[in-house]
Amino acid sequence: MGLSSVREGFFETSGNHVIFFAFFAKIINGAIQINDPDEEIMEVMWADYEEAKARMPFLTEALKLTADGEKIWPFYAFEGTR
């Protein structure tokens, strides 16, 4: 458990400057809830490593995730403008 990464970027079309905080976590119980008054989030889900890698291969590499759950030091990455 704990911080995985801090990533930063700019979205040209919306003019937003974003900072993403990613954490290692363990699902205990409860339901996912989306609090998004701007209705910009389409879906939120928990996924194991294999599913995350299949859906988002770039992200699993960017977050330096491994199948065995090996923890890495938290890192910062500037992802530029999208």
Side-chain angles (χ1 to χ4, degrees), residues 10-49:
F10 295 94
F11 288 92
E12 244 177 332
T13 54
S14 65
N16 289 325
H17 170 219
V18 297
I19 299 177
F20 298 99
F21 293 88
F23 296 89
F24 293 105
K26 179 179 180 181
I27 303 168
I28 297 174
N29 66 23
I32 295 174
Q33 296 181 347
I34 299 173
N35 182 3
D36 178 23
D38 298 325
E39 299 182 0
E40 294 179 343
I41 299 173
M42 294 174 63
E43 180 182 13
V44 176
M45 65 179 285
W46 288 107
D48 64 19
Y49 174 80

Side-chain angles (χ1 to χ4, degrees), residues 39-73:
E39 299 182 0
E40 294 179 343
I41 299 173
M42 294 174 63
E43 180 182 13
V44 176
M45 65 179 285
W46 288 107
D48 64 19
Y49 174 80
E50 293 303 325
E51 174 133 7
K53 186 174 180 181
R55 288 175 175 251
M56 308 169 293
F58 165 79
L59 190 57
T60 55
E61 289 177 24
L63 293 177
K64 303 175 185 175
L65 301 176
T66 62
D68 63 4
E70 177 185 339
K71 289 195 81 169
I72 57 159
W73 286 99

